[in-house]
Amino acid sequence: MTLKFTGNMTYKKCELCPRECGADRTVSHGFCLGGACANVTRAAKHFWEEPVISGKNGSGTIFFSGCTMRCVYCQNSEISRDISGRNVSDEELCEIILSLQNDGAENINLVNPVHFAPSIKNALLAAKPSIPVVWNSGGWERVETLREMEGLIDIYLPDFKYFSDEKALKYSGIGDYAQTAANAINEMFRQVGDVVIENGLMKKGVIVRHLVLPSMSVQSVKALRFMRENLPDGVWVSLMGQYIPAGDVSSENFPEINRKITIKEYNTVLREFRNLGFDGFCQELSSASEDFVPVLKD
Ligand code: SF4
């Protein structure tokens, strides 16, 4: 089987992400470090997503190397700042998808997929998985690239990281984050619509993840208000509090985020999350467990 690129995406003069760096990835690599085929670090069933994603049998997770962003606190910096995995052809990616499906995975979970969208599209068109496909991304994405994936993705799981573009630049090396992410998430919702859950498993819809950072509970409150005003009601939100310092974070260069968040900081954000009436999930940091707890409107 030989797969050919379909649609308008290309690695030749790459503009897949909002960085639009124009790299010719057939001879070199772009800012994201991606070349002309997908690079997979790990493919296995994963049990630590929201319960509606992990289910009983685990989410069939495919971790891609490289990244379009440079978050200083990246929890996966050894994967995101290097092409540390295995180069796979589109045919091999198709086989990985089918093998996760045959292994009983609840879904195919594409982690950090944006910079390999053309390969993923080819592999999905060939694999035609019978289980839901999850696009698990950072939210800083181009609508044009997302449109190319229409009909192939069932569940969108983007981050919404920042309200302030100044913080986005400081901590992730990107500009115009909030509005770019809002445009992307609106496109995601246009494609898949409201959340559908059957027998405790998500079949389609959009869940936006927001990770609360230390010293930034006010920023998180603003981010939630921005989401409420700029995203459709049918988008769910997952509020996350499990930040730990990682990547480049140290007491020398980013002291303000070189710690876990406090329960007080988290509860400030949690209160706003509930006040704004989001459907979704939150983590209860005040309990012994940090598992996801469903939050649903009546
Ligand atoms: S996906 Fe990579 S190569 Fe393409 S525009 Fe973004 S950073 Fe550049």
Side-chain angles (χ1 to χ4, degrees):
M1 173 172 54
T2 301
L3 303 178
K4 294 226 164 42
F5 279 172
T6 51
N8 298 316
M9 293 186 289
T10 176
Y11 290 136
K12 185 85 183 146
K13 183 175 178 298
C14 184
E15 296 182 339
L16 291 170
C17 83
R19 205 171 289 280
E20 296 183 58
C21 73
D24 182 352
R25 292 169 48 176
T26 62
V27 294
S28 180
H29 59 74
F31 176 90
C32 59
L33 303 178
C37 68
N39 187 280
V40 173
T41 302
R42 187 161 184 265
K45 288 196 284 184
H46 186 68
F47 293 85
W48 297 278
E49 308 282 17
E50 288 81 353
V52 292
I53 302 291
S54 293
K56 285 198 187 80
N57 297 318
S59 179
T61 308
I62 304 175
F63 290 93
F64 295 98
S65 310
C67 192
T68 60
M69 296 183 273
R70 284 289 182 281
C71 302
V72 297
Y73 51 85
C74 181
Q75 313 283 304
N76 290 316
S77 54
E78 66 289 352
I79 296 175
S80 65
R81 299 198 196 154
D82 197 2
I83 290 294
S84 54
R86 186 167 70 87
N87 280 338
V88 295
S89 67
D90 299 353
E91 292 84 350
E92 287 174 295
L93 187 55
C94 169
E95 283 159 17
I96 291 169
I97 290 167
L98 291 176
S99 102
L100 287 166
Q101 177 173 285
N102 293 340
D103 199 24
E106 308 282 11
N107 44 53
I108 301 299
N109 187 348
L110 306 161
V111 180
N112 195 15
V114 172
H115 50 301
F116 293 124
S119 302
I120 292 168
K121 180 173 182 177
N122 280 350
L124 287 173
L125 283 169
K128 299 186 177 59
S130 56
I131 52 179
V133 177
V134 184
W135 182 267
N136 186 338
S137 59
W140 192 61
E141 297 166 60
R142 289 189 73 203
V143 168
E144 292 83 350
T145 301
L146 289 166
R147 278 198 194 120
E148 291 284 337
M149 305 308 295
E150 184 163 7
L152 297 170
I153 307 298
D154 303 287
I155 298 167
Y156 281 102
L157 207 54
D159 294 334
F160 190 95
K161 293 176 183 293
Y162 308 102
F163 169 74
S164 152
D165 289 340
E166 183 200 331
K167 305 282 185 211
L169 194 58
K170 179 174 182 183
Y171 295 119
S172 293
I174 51 181
D176 197 21
Y177 178 84
Q179 194 54 56
T180 303
N183 294 346
I185 295 165
N186 274 283
E187 169 61 18
M188 294 171 186
F189 185 78
R190 185 194 69 74
Q191 290 182 21
V192 298
D194 288 329
V195 169
V196 173
I197 294 177
E198 291 172 6
N199 301 321
L201 278 175
M202 189 161 171
K203 299 296 177 186
K204 73 179 195 80
V206 183
I207 300 180
V208 177
R209 287 168 161 173
H210 178 73
L211 176 67
V212 182
L213 299 175
S215 313
M216 279 196 265
S217 50
V218 172
Q219 283 293 319
S220 283
V221 165
K222 289 180 179 174
L224 290 177
R225 288 177 185 162
F226 181 88
M227 281 190 261
R228 182 80 286 173
E229 283 170 16
N230 290 279
L231 302 182
D233 281 351
V235 168
W236 287 22
V237 174
S238 181
L239 189 66
M240 307 172 84
Q242 84 275 38
Y243 173 88
I244 50 168
D248 299 332
V249 175
S250 71
S251 51
E252 280 76 44
N253 49 11
F254 297 102
E256 71 282 10
I257 56 169
N258 188 32
R259 61 169 172 83
K260 290 183 168 185
I261 62 167
T262 64
I263 288 176
K264 188 174 172 206
E265 285 173 327
Y266 186 69
N267 283 344
T268 300
V269 185
L270 183 58
R271 212 166 23 250
E272 189 68 12
F273 174 82
R274 293 186 192 282
N275 284 345
L276 291 168
F278 286 112
D279 282 327
F281 299 90
C282 64
Q283 291 175 315
E284 296 279 10
L285 295 200
S286 50
S287 66
S289 157
E290 293 185 4
D291 288 345
F292 288 99
V293 179
V295 180
L296 298 173
K297 287 189 297 231
D298 295 334

